[in-house]
Amino acid sequence: PQFKTGTFEQTVDHFNFIQSGTFKQRYLYTEKYWDGKGPIFFYSGNEGGITGFWENSGFVFEAAKNFSALVIFGEHRYYGESLPFGQDSFKIENIGYLSIEQALADFATLIPALKKQFKAEEKPVVSFGGSYGGMLSAYLRFKYPNVIQAALAASAPIYFIADLSIRDFFFPAVTRDFKNADPKCPDLVRAGFIELDNLKKEGLKGLDAISKAFKLCKPLKSADQINHLIGWIRNAFTIIAMCDYPYATDFLAPLPANPVNYACKLLATASDRLSGLADAAGLAYNGTSGTLKCFDPWTEFVECADPTGCGLGNANLAWDYQACTELPMPAGTNNVTDMFPVLPWTLDMRADYCQKHWQVKPRLEWPGISLWGRDISTASNIIFSNGNLDPWRPGGVLKSVSPSLVAVLVEGGAHHLDLRSSNPEDPPSVVAAREMELELIRKWIS
């Protein structure tokens, strides 16, 4: 549905009464389904402009129709247009106000103000979110149960964020997705990387062959550039695995239906292993009918504190900072438990990087304290949904903790498939998951 846009005069620092600065926080809303009596459905915005999440969270509107709800999507500070210091927001002296605690306080302040504005003070609020937004949705219910009555946390790896002992799950899970699509697929990927490595050793002639195979806009000039190219390729496989939806989408990339299977076919039918690797990687940046004549890994992929990718532009800077502070990202690749070349990302490497780029030192214990870690049993009214195709799934809540902390598993679902609009190609499991989610929400807010 069409959205209306509003802005709210938000506090820069909720935890410091001396600092009285404010900024304009953007929110989107629609009263299309609201009868003035129904609940409020609030989407806790994550790492990007809020309009992208509005366009890719159709289930929220389907649920709103069902409940005659008012829908509000709140934008996360330091993303989209909600920049506390405009373009200066990403300077070292200003970035420190970017934290999960501040973002949650933004949402917890915004909601009561909007309830008053819409004369809906007595109405229950349900938070929705996917991925990092799903984590925020759960955290809102943890920290502000007086504001949020129930939460849907889709594909929210909350256990992983607070437990550094499970850092090495992500790339093995990506590899498993490709293996499940075609048992030969990971070996074809490995063979492509071996060919890449062999050519790298041949000097300029080899680099030229790599540049041609990958249709690079600017030919490679040095073997030192290969690691970035590998990061770009690995990022492509990550996107394809996360967006392995049963129909064509344009969420993180313009991808065909079942893109993991599609990529495996490209790898299997290519004239040689390197071309296959190049075709599969190109899928994530150019889709099946893209207009790019050549690729530029240096603008299409930015290395950062998150080996699974930070996005581009301002969002890249904000996420990089968050990955340096409260969000410890997965370990890198090792070519033993995954199909990618050895590109490690240890906690020491992270600490060095973060000190150099942001002058910060990660506090490893803090997320487990502030964000509850694994001990969530005193919370209630939260649905944790995870798809078995989603590489983030091993970091999430996969078993119900209590009758009101419910795990919903989506067979054949990739990254928060259940939050997307219903589609004729949906597997039966996601249809059932959505029905269960609606049923639980109804029970909790009635």
Side-chain angles (χ1 to χ4, degrees), residues 116-298:
K116 203 169 173 185
Q117 185 181 310
F118 287 105
K119 300 187 173 43
E121 283 101 331
E122 302 307 310
K123 306 295 179 261
V125 181
V126 181
S127 64
F128 292 76
S131 196
Y132 171 51
M135 292 161 60
L136 295 171
S137 184
Y139 297 154
L140 273 172
R141 178 66 190 160
F142 289 174
K143 286 180 177 275
Y144 300 101
N146 53 320
V147 177
I148 301 288
Q149 278 63 58
L152 170 59
S155 297
I158 65 160
Y159 282 168
F160 152 64
I161 292 305
D163 182 357
L164 294 176
S165 69
I166 53 168
R167 284 187 74 236
D168 54 0
F169 70 87
F170 187 83
F171 291 107
V174 172
T175 303
R176 204 158 43 245
D177 281 349
F178 282 85
K179 190 172 186 172
N180 290 341
D182 175 356
K184 297 192 198 81
C185 198
D187 287 334
L188 296 173
V189 173
R190 284 189 180 99
F193 279 120
I194 288 168
E195 213 164 298
L196 179 72
D197 194 56
N198 290 337
L199 285 168
K200 173 182 138 181
K201 292 168 185 160
E202 288 182 21
L204 279 175
K205 185 177 140 226
L207 293 178
D208 203 39
I210 295 167
S211 304
K212 284 200 174 84
F214 283 90
K215 303 187 178 71
L216 300 185
C217 304
K218 300 179 196 129
L220 295 167
K221 296 203 165 35
S222 147
D224 294 344
Q225 294 174 290
I226 295 292
N227 271 4
H228 186 89
L229 180 68
I230 291 169
W232 176 83
I233 301 166
R234 190 175 71 174
N235 190 54
F237 281 92
T238 297
I239 289 168
I240 292 167
M242 281 170 60
C243 298
D244 194 19
Y245 301 123
Y247 46 84
T249 58
D250 200 0
F251 176 40
L252 298 179
L255 292 171
N258 305 300
V260 170
N261 294 50
Y262 196 99
C264 287
K265 282 200 184 81
L266 291 175
L267 283 148
T269 54
S271 55
D272 61 89
R273 294 297 151 246
L274 192 67
S275 306
L277 189 64
D279 293 345
L283 187 64
Y285 299 102
N286 207 17
T288 47
S289 52
T291 52
L292 295 180
K293 299 275 181 282
C294 62
F295 295 106
D296 182 358
W298 282 265

Side-chain angles (χ1 to χ4, degrees), residues 351-373:
D352 291 346
Y353 172 94
C354 297
Q355 186 59 50
K356 184 178 157 197
H357 285 258
W358 296 108
Q359 294 169 30
V360 293
K361 191 177 174 193
R363 295 180 208 153
L364 300 181
E365 285 76 31
W366 177 243
I369 297 163
S370 176
L371 308 172
W372 288 37

